[in-house]
Amino acid sequence: MKKVAVLRGVIIASLAFAAINAYAADAKVPPADTCAAKAYDIEQQLAQARQHRNAGQIQGLETALRNVQTYCQDDDLRVKRQQNLAEKQAKVAERKAELRESQQSGADADKIQKRQDKLAEAQKELHAAQQEIAAAGGQ
């Protein structure tokens, strides 16, 4: 029963986060993808939960805020972004090699097109990872 309530609180918190994030054009918003930004987002959700007197959500958000304040480190976030970027770069390289191999082996056009599509998707994911790093100040 408690798990259902916690899950419900997490879902509600996620929805609130998305709604609040959409309106976060405030000059006081910390730089994106930082621990301060995570804490700020949780605090905004907490304010909404308190306004609506949602005790379960308040409890979950207070726990999440304590966890961010205790365990979140900007260096860890930077490392995760860099790891994600490296993974995406490796995936692009792999997809390029697969495409080149298909082209050199004389594979049919359908197979080559599938490999091109996979490469395009990998490049799109790489671009997103690069954008995430750029948004975090090039870290």
Side-chain angles (χ1 to χ4, degrees):
M1 194 68 159
K2 286 185 180 182
K3 288 182 182 180
V4 172
V6 170
L7 182 58
R8 188 176 314 152
V10 169
I11 291 170
I12 291 170
S14 297
L15 293 173
F17 171 76
I20 291 169
N21 223 9
Y23 296 106
D26 187 357
K28 298 176 185 177
V29 176
D33 295 328
T34 63
C35 294
K38 286 180 176 244
Y40 177 84
D41 289 339
I42 293 170
E43 288 168 352
Q44 296 303 307
Q45 293 173 51
L46 195 51
Q48 288 289 323
R50 286 183 176 139
Q51 182 179 5
H52 296 345
R53 294 183 173 93
N54 187 332
Q57 188 179 13
I58 291 169
Q59 183 179 4
L61 288 167
E62 286 173 343
T63 300
L65 183 59
R66 278 192 307 275
N67 286 339
V68 166
Q69 292 168 338
T70 302
Y71 301 111
C72 186
Q73 296 181 9
D74 288 332
D75 287 343
D76 291 343
L77 295 176
R78 181 185 52 77
V79 168
K80 285 179 185 175
R81 285 190 297 271
Q82 291 296 336
Q83 287 173 338
N84 184 43
L85 178 64
E87 289 171 8
K88 300 306 179 189
Q89 289 170 331
K91 189 172 184 179
V92 166
E94 179 183 341
R95 298 294 187 214
K96 283 182 180 180
E98 289 172 352
L99 175 59
R100 193 170 35 255
E101 181 182 314
S102 293
Q103 290 169 331
Q104 291 173 349
S105 70
D108 62 44
D110 191 40
K111 186 172 184 175
I112 291 173
Q113 183 61 48
K114 287 179 182 180
R115 299 283 170 121
Q116 288 173 333
D117 292 345
K118 286 184 176 185
L119 173 58
E121 181 63 28
Q123 288 172 327
K124 182 179 173 184
E125 291 173 5
L126 173 59
H127 181 71
Q130 291 168 332
Q131 292 296 99
E132 185 179 329
I133 288 176
Q139 297 179 350

